[in-house]
Amino acid sequence: MLSELKEKKMISDDASTVLKLSLPGAAVEFINRLDMPNSKEKYPPELKAFALTLNFYSTKAYNYVRKTFECNLPHPTTLRKWYQSINGSPGFTGEAFSSLKVKAEEAEKKSTTIQCALMVNEIAIKKHVEWDRTKFSGYIDLGTDLDDDELLIAKEALVFMVNALNSNWKVPVGYFLINGLSAPERANLINEALRYIHDTGVDVVSLTFDGTSSNIAAANELGANIAVNNLVNFFPHPVTRNPIYVIFDACHMLKLVRNCLASKGSLHDWKNLVNWKYITELEKLQREEGLHAATKLRLRHVQWYREKMKVKLAAQVLSRSVADALEYALHHLKHPKFEGCEATILFLKKFNDLFDVLNSRNFLGKGYKSPFMEKNKTKFFQLLDETEAYIRGLKTSSNGELLLTSQRKTGFLGFLVTLKSIKLLFLSLCEGGDLKFLLTYKLSQDHLELFFSAIRSHGGHNNNPTAKQFKAAYVRLLAHHQIMTSDSANCTILDDTNILNVSASKNTYLKSINDSDAQRDDIDQWPAVESLVQDHNYCVNAFRHQSQYSQDVIGYVAGFVVKKLKTSLRCVDCISAVVEKSKSPSNLLLIKNRGGLNLPSDDITNLCKLGEKVFRIFNAAGKLTVRNVMHRLILYTLNDIMSKGMDIFPSLIKHSVDHAPQDNHRIFLIKAVLFEYFKLRLCHAGKTETEKLQANKTRSLNLKSTLFKGH
């Protein structure tokens, strides 16, 4: 029988091996039931295990065997009842489906239907066999109660999760301990999950997974056609025949696009060169200048192959901030090493905007980070159409093959499939359904990845769980998230990462302005800046000349300082001095500004430039680690201002007369500006030193490969 199923390509070799282990006991029971057609007796455990295992690997094979042997195997509906496990055992989790049913009934009372996204992914587990009170755990387990020491050792747990699109919850609905699955087996399991979920009254409209070859093959097996030509981005629901749209996780696709560009070195946008070298040159320029052009770009981004699994590194490279920095270096610095980077700038902007559209999280988001809704439909559709045409035109070289037909096509093809699915989902759910808007982040695989993170963290120092530990964590997480109740809400939304991230230390000088209760610092006891230079003559070149790049970056940071001050200042005159219009704003700030940035006054910018000069002197002299370094930096800068007779905030001279000498707002405002600037620079200095210390790190670099190997 198994040979015939293999010849008909209904089961794989691995499935045949597992089924053979269940045959000895099942064969006897199978023959006995042939003499008892339409028997009402319960199915024996051996036959039950065989039926569940065969159905797990192939519904087609199961239906064929059942028909051939005159329905002596249980009906698929009966199998689904058996398949639902309890107590967190491998299989589909009955409690989760009960919870979904409650949610569906609640929605029905409100004349609505729960719309969900189904997501599937594997988590690596440790290859480990141990006694679990009743049996050995660690072998592959499909929820069929099959127990044999000839089974393969499980190396992954395949987890299914649903995330509500029109509500605020998510729930895992089952998992299976596996050692690899073929495309038909994976497709069959997905269909089974869709049937179970349909029985609860919840509608699944999409399927999300990453871009592995097995997932692509499974999608094709289900009825989609993930190919450049004749692309079909959906497959029919096994019960309703409604389309289930395929979504490739945007984060994984972005990594693949970054990997392709970085490893190949260059791509071609029609006839223009998209070159990775411009990104490496930008990182080098930032490192040499000691200031960053409002980007997250660091050495680790250039050495991406050391941490290729980290999505944030790819997102921070293929970003508009890096594109703006390249544009600034090309048009304003006119740096010769950035000549011809226009195509690279366009490439970064295209994928940045596409990623924003596919990652909208907040109803109040702006631009392409806003939710997909009727009022921005035209704008979003235009972007998606233009991006599709752009991706289809990318080539490996000027006269080379199209990227979509090359071996590195997965990331680009995945984006094509996803953007088509997003458009059709919007038309189906928003224009043709009850949804008012679509948050595309709800279709992301991040929800499942966060669940995996919670499972790993459950083990404390052990982030590589065994099969038994995975089961224990799975059960505890289900209980923790209260999936049995009707009011569970555990959908985690990630916060946006700020470009400038600083500590929460308090600016006491602002408090002095607002409260007028501070004491004047005695700056006469501090030597002039020039004396520090004389003591460390070797560092003179570190501050005498500030390049155009440095001045523009300092001007950009000065805008952030203004933002910090405006939120805390209560003195009207001081606020006016801070927001005075600049005569020559930073070129970088003008490029980055899309209407929401603060333009610093010339006095603020000049103060920051003076502060940078003093900071570089301290840094070159190795004085950043001295006690009270913030206090010293501020006072040295004040001393420099006084020795040069500089007129800072002249509009506050009259205002200062209104206060006692010890409450001089002009002095306090200068100190407040310097405090905010030095706080940023000291944080950056700490991060830079940490990067040097971790230059040869091995633990985090080898962690993922160790986990995936199951050690």
Side-chain angles (χ1 to χ4, degrees):
M1 179 177 65
L2 294 181
S3 299
E4 184 179 355
L5 293 176
K6 286 178 63 177
E7 289 176 3
K8 293 180 178 292
K9 296 184 178 180
M10 291 184 177
I11 60 174
S12 64
D13 292 338
D14 291 339
S16 176
T17 302
V18 175
L19 287 166
K20 282 181 181 178
L21 299 177
S22 65
L23 267 181
V28 176
E29 300 296 339
F30 198 77
I31 294 172
N32 290 338
R33 290 191 71 88
L34 288 175
D35 298 329
M36 298 183 295
N38 302 320
S39 173
K40 301 296 183 181
E41 293 185 8
K42 290 184 177 181
Y43 290 94
E46 296 84 359
L47 192 57
K48 178 180 176 181
F50 173 78
L52 288 171
T53 304
L54 178 59
N55 185 70
F56 171 86
Y57 280 111
S58 174
T59 302
K60 186 183 295 185
Y62 183 82
N63 291 334
Y64 173 79
V65 173
R66 186 171 184 270
K67 182 179 179 180
T68 302
F69 291 94
E70 301 176 356
C71 298
N72 278 287
L73 290 176
H75 190 274
T77 303
T78 305
L79 287 185
R80 287 201 289 274
K81 293 180 181 178
W82 290 349
Y83 233 146
Q84 292 182 357
S85 62
I86 57 175
N87 301 324
S89 298
F92 290 112
T93 308
E95 292 88 342
F97 292 112
S98 298
S99 177
L100 288 178
K101 191 171 184 179
V102 171
K103 286 289 187 182
E105 291 172 351
E106 290 178 353
E108 188 177 2
K109 293 177 182 177
K110 300 177 183 178
S111 301
T112 61
T113 303
I114 296 292
Q115 308 284 352
C116 282
L118 175 65
M119 43 202 68
V120 186
N121 197 16
E122 301 94 346
I123 176 176
I125 60 175
K126 186 176 182 179
K127 294 180 180 178
H128 185 81
V129 177
E130 56 187 323
W131 180 250
D132 189 12
R133 295 187 180 182
T134 58
K135 64 176 183 178
F136 282 103
S137 67
Y139 297 102
I140 61 173
D141 193 337
L142 313 178
T144 60
D145 292 330
L146 186 60
D147 189 11
D148 194 294
D149 57 6
E150 293 185 27
L151 290 171
L152 297 174
I153 303 296
K155 63 179 182 180
E156 295 170 325
L158 181 68
V159 184
F160 290 78
M161 174 178 280
V162 293
N163 187 29
L165 300 181
N166 54 349
S167 190
N168 193 35
W169 52 264
K170 62 183 177 183
V171 61
V173 295
Y175 74 94
F176 300 87
L177 302 178
I178 62 173
N179 192 313
L181 285 177
S182 66
E185 294 160 359
R186 192 176 292 261
N188 178 67
L189 201 53
I190 291 171
N191 271 332
E192 287 299 307
L194 291 172
R195 291 188 183 98
Y196 286 133
I197 298 170
H198 173 75
D199 290 343
T200 67
V202 171
D203 285 348
V204 174
V205 297
S206 67
L207 172 66
T208 302
F209 41 46
D210 53 31
T212 59
S213 57
S214 59
N215 283 332
I216 294 175
N220 292 334
E221 189 76 22
L222 287 165
N225 183 33
I226 310 302
V228 180
N229 300 319
N230 302 318
L231 175 63
V232 179
N233 61 310
F234 60 88
F235 60 90
H237 191 287
V239 179
T240 65
R241 312 309 294 174
N242 292 330
I244 303 294
Y245 296 100
V246 176
I247 304 288
F248 285 96
D249 183 52
C251 292
H252 287 81
M253 296 305 103
L254 198 70
K255 282 194 301 183
L256 294 176
V257 170
R258 186 276 315 271
N259 295 353
C260 178
L261 174 61
S263 60
K264 294 183 74 65
S266 64
L267 303 173
H268 275 76
D269 163 18
W270 301 105
K271 293 185 178 180
N272 301 313
L273 184 66
V274 179
N275 205 321
W276 177 258
K277 77 171 185 179
Y278 296 120
I279 295 173
T280 61
E281 288 294 339
L282 177 61
E283 188 279 328
K284 183 179 178 182
L285 174 64
Q286 292 184 149
R287 185 156 33 90
E288 290 175 349
E289 292 285 348
L291 292 166
H292 291 88
T295 73
K296 292 284 188 179
L297 197 62
R298 304 292 189 273
L299 185 61
R300 63 191 300 210
H301 294 83
V302 174
Q303 297 176 347
W304 59 274
Y305 45 85
R306 293 165 59 88
E307 300 175 272
K308 62 176 65 177
M309 295 297 294
K310 291 189 179 294
V311 177
K312 73 174 184 179
L313 298 185
Q316 289 166 355
V317 169
L318 303 181
S319 64
R320 188 168 282 271
S321 63
V322 174
D324 289 341
L326 290 176
E327 189 174 352
Y328 160 74
L330 174 66
H331 296 301
H332 295 279
L333 290 183
K334 300 189 184 302
H335 201 294
K337 291 187 177 180
F338 295 94
E339 291 182 1
C341 68
E342 293 89 346
T344 306
I345 293 172
L346 179 62
F347 182 89
L348 297 179
K349 288 183 177 180
K350 287 289 186 184
F351 283 98
N352 172 83
D353 293 345
L354 177 60
F355 187 68
D356 284 347
V357 170
L358 301 180
N359 205 37
S360 60
R361 304 169 182 168
N362 194 333
F363 175 74
L364 301 176
K366 304 297 182 182
Y368 290 123
K369 294 182 180 180
S370 60
F372 219 137
M373 58 181 68
E374 187 62 35
K375 68 178 183 180
N376 60 20
K377 167 191 168 183
T378 303
K379 176 184 175 182
F380 276 33
F381 270 53
Q382 181 180 354
L383 171 71
L384 296 178
D385 291 340
E386 291 175 353
T387 305
E388 179 181 356
Y390 179 81
I391 291 175
R392 288 186 178 276
L394 290 173
K395 296 182 178 181
T396 56
S397 61
S398 57
N399 297 318
E401 65 176 331
L402 293 173
L403 263 178
L404 290 175
T405 59
S406 69
Q407 293 183 344
R408 306 302 296 269
K409 64 184 177 184
T410 305
F412 303 92
L413 181 59
F415 271 129
L416 278 189
V417 173
T418 302
L419 64 86
K420 279 182 170 291
S421 296
I422 292 296
K423 290 194 292 185
L424 292 175
L425 277 171
F426 173 78
L427 295 175
S428 173
L429 300 178
C430 297
E431 289 199 344
D434 298 329
L435 267 66
K436 295 181 180 179
F437 57 87
L438 177 63
L439 290 173
T440 53
Y441 181 66
K442 287 183 173 290
L443 303 168
S444 170
Q445 197 170 270
D446 278 12
H447 305 284
L448 198 47
E449 295 289 352
L450 290 170
F451 183 72
F452 291 165
S453 177
I455 286 179
R456 291 191 179 103
S457 63
H458 176 73
H461 65 280
N462 174 25
N463 59 359
N464 190 17
T466 64
K468 182 179 178 181
Q469 291 167 343
F470 178 89
K471 174 184 174 181
Y474 182 86
V475 172
R476 285 175 178 261
L477 284 171
L478 291 182
H480 173 70
H481 293 307
Q482 300 178 350
I483 68 166
M484 294 291 290
T485 62
S486 60
D487 57 350
S488 62
N490 62 329
C491 182
T492 303
I493 299 178
L494 302 178
D495 294 329
D496 292 333
T497 302
N498 295 322
I499 294 177
L500 298 171
N501 186 20
V502 298
S503 64
S505 55
K506 294 182 179 179
N507 191 333
T508 56
Y509 305 107
L510 282 176
K511 186 176 186 297
S512 300
I513 295 175
N514 294 331
D515 298 342
S516 297
D517 61 355
Q519 297 297 319
R520 179 178 180 273
D521 291 302
D522 185 7
I523 65 173
D524 295 332
Q525 62 179 312
W526 298 97
V529 175
E530 301 303 329
S531 65
L532 185 64
V533 176
Q534 295 300 325
D535 293 339
H536 302 278
N537 195 44
Y538 53 83
C539 67
V540 171
N541 292 331
F543 69 92
R544 274 190 175 171
H545 173 69
Q546 287 180 350
S547 65
Q548 183 62 45
Y549 171 87
S550 296
Q551 292 181 41
D552 283 333
V553 173
I554 293 169
Y556 175 82
V557 176
F560 176 75
V561 172
V562 171
K563 176 184 176 182
K564 295 287 289 185
L565 295 176
K566 283 173 61 178
T567 58
S568 303
L569 278 172
R570 294 200 296 269
C571 175
V572 177
D573 293 316
C574 292
I575 293 175
S576 299
V578 166
V579 298
E580 284 181 359
K581 189 174 182 180
S582 174
K583 297 178 181 178
S584 55
S586 161
N587 290 320
L588 177 62
L589 182 59
L590 294 177
I591 290 177
K592 297 286 294 182
N593 188 21
R594 296 177 181 84
L597 298 182
N598 293 276
L599 299 179
S601 65
D602 289 333
D603 286 329
I604 296 283
T605 303
N606 290 333
L607 270 177
C608 292
K609 289 179 180 179
L610 283 172
E612 180 65 22
K613 168 187 169 182
V614 173
F615 181 86
R616 293 196 179 198
I617 293 173
F618 270 66
N619 188 31
K623 296 294 185 180
L624 289 183
T625 56
V626 298
R627 291 183 59 188
N628 300 320
V629 63
M630 174 69 80
H631 193 60
R632 290 170 181 261
L633 286 167
I634 292 174
L635 293 182
Y636 269 114
T637 308
L638 283 174
N639 200 352
D640 195 27
I641 293 172
M642 294 175 63
S643 64
K644 294 179 179 179
M646 299 180 66
D647 193 12
I648 304 294
F649 297 129
S651 61
L652 292 180
I653 295 177
K654 183 178 179 181
H655 175 60
S656 300
V657 178
D658 299 334
H659 298 85
Q662 67 270 22
D663 297 330
N664 191 320
H665 279 202
R666 187 184 180 196
I667 297 296
F668 284 139
L669 184 58
I670 292 173
K671 291 181 178 180
V673 171
L674 294 173
F675 178 88
E676 295 296 343
Y677 184 80
F678 286 136
K679 185 168 66 172
L680 280 169
R681 295 297 281 124
L682 289 169
C683 286
H684 175 258
K687 290 182 179 180
T688 302
E689 186 63 25
T690 301
E691 289 176 359
K692 293 178 182 178
L693 294 173
Q694 296 180 350
N696 298 317
K697 62 182 179 180
T698 57
R699 179 176 179 178
S700 62
L701 299 181
N702 297 327
L703 176 62
K704 292 297 183 182
S705 59
T706 301
L707 294 180
F708 292 157
K709 290 178 181 177
H711 298 320

